[in-house]
Amino acid sequence: MKATPRILLVEDDPSICEAISEVLQMEDIEVRIASNGKAGIEELRAGYYPDLILLDLMMPGTDGMWFCAEREKDDELKKIPVVIMSAHGQVENRTAGLSVNAVLKKPIGLDDLLATVKPFLPGH
Amino acid sequence: MNLLSSPTDSRVSILLVDDRPENLIALSAILDTPDYRLVQARSGQEALRCLLSEDFALILLDVRMPGMDGFETARMIKQRERSKYIPIIFITAVNLETSFLFKGYDAGAVDYIVKPFDSTILRSKVAVFADLHRKNELVRQQASALRHHERLEREQEVARRELEILRREKAVSEKYRDLVEGIRDGIVWTANPETLEFSLISSHASRIIGETNAQEAFTRSLVAERSFQQALVRIRNGAFKDATFEHRLSGADGESLWFQTHLRLGESEVPGQMELRGLSINVTRIKAAQEEADRAVQVRDEFLSIASHEIRTPLTPLRLKLELMQRMVKAGIFEAPQIAKLTAALDKSCYQVDRLARLTDELLDVSRINGGKFTLMKEPVELSDVVKDVCDRFKGDLSRSGCELRLALASARGLWDRLKVEQVVINLLTNALKYGEAKPIEISTGEQDGMALLRIRDHGIGIREEDHERIFTLYERAVSPMNYGGLGLGLYIVKKIAEAHGGNVVVQSKPRDGAVFTVQLPFAEASVMKQAQL
């Protein structure tokens, strides 16, 4: 039996989380949500090991930049690919120093979301 | 120097030379007048001695004398510079042969008198020479006076020119002093580039710096400046032209002063010595204004970044929902489960559209307030009804936030702009939801001190005392925009609407103790005629 692909979604806006989860679940992808950077790292440290992390940059408290910095420090976490989602106009500048695998620019489209995410998932 | 003849003795001196005393007595008797001063000499030698110490107008000289005779004496007289122009009248008893006469003239005689002489002839001859002498003396004195006068005039002219130069130098130095002292917001100074001794520091230094030892404080801060030291190095290398730099001076009151200094190198008044000349302008106010402007730009840029984030955020779920619905419609299956899904997706899309509309309204409100197009459309409004309406519309947000709503609504009816009052309630409620940490929110309406009262209380993160004023200003918020969404315009709009109605809004809050926002609105009449002046 094929393993279910898993994504950790780190995003603070409930509406975005709900809409993205719905789209991904329709593709039989398991989605776990963390509403800030710290919650995301805690999920990972607790043993949740996703195929991909979908990460928002602007979040209350510990934001996406903080999350990336924490991930850099941990060799295990560094192996999990990260896709940045940002509504920020200068997303390229802000992600220049980060080792990220792809960038999704908000507002995110359905086809764009799936096309960006799928190459990182098993069976693709 | 005695230029004119002495007033005590204006007499003409006449030297009488004869070896016989009786002749001398006779001559003196004939010539004895107050006009003449008669000096007697008994021999040629004695005559020459007299001529050494005195000037004479005329010499009456006896020809026949023992030892040095008259001719011999005359020749000696003529050889001397001092006496060679004194006329000589020979006195002789011998016959006037032509050869004798020539001998006399050769010796320098101008006339002869033969003994025994006629006293009248003698007097008149002497008078001619005395007169001639007086006239010569007068001409000499006039020439001398003229020379003296000319010298005086020359000296006066030189003095006048020197005075003019001094006057100009004084005017120039006064002009520069006035110009220097006229620079009220700057310090003009000069210094020796080798020793760094300051030869001049304009008097405004103490006024600008406001310290008793202002000059010392100023020179210390200047010399410590790196750019100044670099300029000195270039001066010593001979590569210096001029330099401009800024430096800071910490005042006694702890406030910093900023100076912009322009340096030049010039020749000092001491030959071969260079001088460093500087003008240090007080740019503290300009710097403060610059910092203020920079901060305003930074606040605006931050706002634009937040605004674009906030506006784009609802677009993601909206777009995803719309594309999902598109897929469902294309699949063409319209059974109950699909219809339920479509309905849910439509509801959520509408919610995102509302969210966008609210953001857009907020932006438009601010642009209207700032553009001065903010007018009130007043009508009878029941405040408690407005609160109920708004709460009803925010049911979804309330349940999502986890905040329990507690209402204590008493009637408060006034003449207000309904939509604007609604806006006040919405903005305060969304803040309470955002910062309320899922704890209860209490809203009350009523009347107090003749004013309508709206009070919204949350039990969330609270606001520090020092931020109470700032949160009502444009684009400001008490917490980091990265942590809480929103444009940071809500309270600014609340305040402007309350003030436009003649009312006000105040906050009571402490960190971790929630916040109470109280809006007071006058019921109407006093301000009903008054259009909002914003």
Side-chain angles (χ1 to χ4, degrees):
Chain A
M1 205 188 100
K2 203 174 71 177
T4 308
R6 299 200 291 189
I7 288 179
L8 176 65
L9 174 59
V10 188
E11 162 69 63
D12 65 307
D13 188 89
S15 304
I16 294 178
C17 290
E18 196 267 345
I20 288 177
S21 302
E22 190 180 4
V23 171
L24 294 176
Q25 278 157 7
M26 278 172 57
E27 299 289 317
D28 293 319
I29 299 164
E30 189 192 299
V31 181
R32 195 172 286 200
I33 293 167
S35 63
N36 58 53
K38 189 160 175 268
I41 291 288
E42 277 167 3
E43 284 285 351
L44 298 171
R45 295 245 163 91
Y48 185 75
Y49 202 90
D51 300 298
L52 176 69
I53 298 163
L54 267 177
L55 178 68
D56 183 25
L57 281 185
M58 265 174 118
M59 285 182 294
T62 48
D63 62 7
M65 308 295 284
W66 182 89
F67 182 92
C68 286
E70 282 298 298
R71 175 178 164 266
E72 287 293 308
K73 291 187 228 163
D74 191 319
D75 287 338
E76 277 303 302
L77 300 189
K78 246 158 70 174
K79 289 177 192 160
I80 310 169
V82 169
V83 172
I84 295 275
M85 307 181 292
S86 181
H88 201 276
Q90 291 163 313
V91 68
E92 287 80 9
N93 286 349
R94 301 203 44 173
T95 55
L98 307 174
S99 66
V100 298
N101 302 80
V103 173
L104 268 173
K105 222 168 181 178
K106 290 176 179 176
I108 301 163
L110 199 154
D111 295 335
D112 198 18
L113 173 63
L114 294 176
T116 307
V117 160
K118 278 184 174 172
F120 296 101
L121 304 176
H124 289 279
Chain B
M1 178 173 58
N2 186 12
L3 296 168
L4 302 166
S5 56
S6 161
T8 54
D9 192 357
S10 61
R11 292 178 298 171
V12 173
S13 297
I14 298 169
L15 183 60
L16 310 176
V17 190
D18 203 312
D19 60 314
R20 295 181 182 194
E22 61 271 25
N23 285 350
L24 286 173
I25 290 166
L27 279 171
S28 297
I30 293 165
L31 297 174
D32 183 26
T33 73
D35 290 340
Y36 301 145
R37 192 173 75 85
L38 303 173
V39 177
Q40 297 178 359
R42 296 276 304 271
S43 66
Q45 282 86 348
E46 199 185 335
L48 288 172
R49 264 200 306 280
C50 290
L51 284 163
L52 280 178
S53 59
E54 255 188 277
D55 290 326
F56 290 92
L58 179 66
I59 302 167
L60 293 178
L61 185 57
D62 183 28
V63 173
R64 200 175 295 265
M65 289 190 293
M68 187 189 283
D69 69 5
F71 298 132
E72 178 87 28
T73 305
R75 266 193 297 276
M76 299 284 285
I77 288 168
K78 293 295 162 186
Q79 277 167 13
R80 290 183 180 175
E81 193 59 36
R82 180 172 182 164
S83 53
K84 71 186 199 189
Y85 296 114
I86 302 174
I88 299 170
I89 298 176
F90 280 120
I91 300 168
T92 179
V94 294
N95 55 331
L96 293 169
E97 281 170 23
T98 310
S99 64
F100 185 86
L101 280 179
F102 285 156
K103 198 180 176 193
Y105 286 123
D106 276 351
V110 293
D111 210 346
Y112 279 88
I113 287 179
V114 181
K115 288 188 234 178
F117 36 73
D118 180 85
S119 60
T120 309
I121 292 171
L122 179 65
R123 269 194 217 102
S124 61
K125 281 196 176 185
V126 167
V128 168
F129 285 105
D131 194 42
L132 192 67
H133 174 80
R134 276 196 206 95
K135 282 176 178 156
N136 278 342
E137 193 60 22
L138 195 64
V139 167
R140 201 180 58 77
Q141 282 171 1
Q142 279 174 345
S144 163
L146 196 65
R147 278 196 304 277
H148 178 67
H149 182 72
E150 280 172 352
R151 201 174 63 238
L152 271 183
E153 271 194 341
R154 271 199 308 278
E155 280 172 359
Q156 261 176 358
E157 175 64 16
V158 168
R160 205 178 55 75
R161 284 186 191 165
E162 278 175 357
L163 202 69
E164 175 63 15
I165 289 167
L166 280 175
R167 195 194 61 77
R168 281 191 195 177
E169 278 177 357
K170 186 161 166 275
V172 166
S173 80
E174 270 176 6
K175 179 168 82 178
Y176 283 112
R177 198 196 59 211
D178 284 354
L179 288 172
V180 160
E181 295 301 328
I183 303 170
R184 293 181 60 79
D185 237 11
I187 299 169
V188 177
W189 53 267
T190 58
N192 182 321
E194 301 300 325
T195 63
L196 295 185
E197 273 175 287
F198 284 75
S199 41
L200 166 90
I201 299 176
S202 63
S203 66
H204 285 301
S206 42
R207 196 183 53 80
I208 293 170
I209 296 167
E211 272 185 60
T212 41
N213 53 350
Q215 300 197 338
E216 199 209 315
F218 171 73
T219 56
R220 210 182 327 111
S221 92
L222 180 69
V223 171
E225 170 57 35
R226 209 165 55 91
S227 308
F228 182 81
Q229 293 293 339
Q230 286 170 346
L232 287 182
V233 171
R234 278 187 287 138
I235 286 169
R236 280 154 200 171
N237 293 343
F240 180 84
K241 281 201 187 83
D242 57 357
T244 303
F245 55 83
E246 282 184 356
H247 57 109
R248 196 168 67 96
L249 181 110
S250 300
D253 51 3
E255 274 183 33
S256 282
L257 284 173
W258 280 94
F259 288 97
Q260 188 186 69
T261 290
H262 184 72
L263 290 186
R264 273 174 176 286
L265 194 64
E267 246 175 72
S268 79
E269 55 266 41
V270 181
Q273 170 114 39
M274 297 307 277
E275 182 179 69
L276 206 50
R277 292 164 190 158
L279 171 58
S280 300
I281 303 279
N282 177 10
V283 292
T284 313
R285 268 178 302 178
I286 297 166
K287 248 190 137 57
Q290 227 165 34
E291 275 164 20
E292 180 86 356
D294 288 349
R295 183 177 140 63
V297 168
Q298 195 198 330
V299 165
R300 194 205 59 195
D301 287 350
E302 207 169 71
F303 168 74
L304 285 175
S305 150
I306 294 158
S308 80
H309 177 266
E310 286 299 303
I311 287 166
R312 248 185 251 190
T313 295
L315 289 176
T316 292
L318 182 59
R319 185 170 172 183
L320 287 172
K321 293 290 173 193
L322 287 172
E323 287 177 355
L324 267 176
M325 287 188 279
Q326 209 174 33
R327 283 193 170 189
M328 287 163 154
V329 172
K330 274 183 187 161
I333 306 160
F334 298 104
E335 303 291 327
Q338 281 81 21
I339 289 168
K341 263 193 169 178
L342 267 176
T343 311
L346 278 171
D347 284 349
K348 279 166 184 159
S349 301
C350 289
Y351 171 76
Q352 298 305 332
V353 171
D354 283 348
R355 214 172 137 187
L356 274 175
R358 278 206 299 275
L359 287 169
T360 316
D361 283 348
E362 214 176 291
L363 276 176
L364 280 175
D365 279 340
V366 168
S367 98
R368 276 196 213 105
I369 289 170
N370 290 338
K373 293 175 199 146
F374 190 64
T375 51
L376 300 178
M377 310 281 282
K378 290 190 178 175
E379 58 180 316
V381 175
E382 172 56 56
L383 188 56
S384 61
D385 289 347
V386 173
V387 172
K388 271 183 247 167
D389 283 353
V390 171
C391 291
D392 212 37
R393 269 191 268 159
F394 276 74
K395 242 187 255 168
D397 297 78
L398 277 159
S399 66
R400 261 191 294 275
S401 72
C403 294
E404 185 200 335
L405 184 64
R406 293 172 188 168
L407 298 177
L409 305 179
S411 172
R413 201 174 168 77
L415 268 181
W416 303 308
D417 184 318
R418 178 186 296 276
L419 289 176
K420 297 283 188 293
V421 172
E422 229 175 68
Q423 182 84 60
V424 168
V425 178
I426 290 170
N427 289 4
L428 291 176
L429 180 59
T430 46
N431 273 358
L433 288 169
K434 206 193 294 183
Y435 302 113
E437 294 188 311
K439 291 171 189 160
I441 294 170
E442 294 145 30
I443 307 180
S444 59
T445 57
E447 194 184 324
Q448 196 180 58
D449 305 328
M451 302 264 268
L453 202 75
L454 167 70
R455 184 169 281 152
I456 299 188
R457 173 188 201 119
D458 71 66
H459 296 273
I461 61 169
I463 305 154
R464 291 181 304 173
E465 179 101 38
E466 57 262 42
D467 292 326
H468 285 189
E469 203 173 312
R470 198 164 64 84
I471 54 173
F472 290 104
T473 54
L474 193 56
Y475 308 143
E476 292 280 6
R477 65 182 75 215
V479 292
S480 161
M482 296 294 275
N483 298 351
Y484 289 88
L487 296 177
L489 305 176
L491 289 176
Y492 173 73
I493 291 167
V494 166
K495 184 168 189 260
K496 289 293 173 185
I497 290 173
E499 284 172 357
H501 282 91
N504 63 70
V505 55
V506 290
V507 63
Q508 291 164 276
S509 178
K510 271 187 262 172
R512 312 240 50 85
D513 198 26
V516 184
F517 285 90
T518 307
V519 179
Q520 280 187 301
L521 295 176
F523 283 107
E525 304 311 329
S527 64
V528 93
M529 305 307 292
K530 200 173 89 184
Q531 276 293 25
Q533 298 289 315
L534 291 163

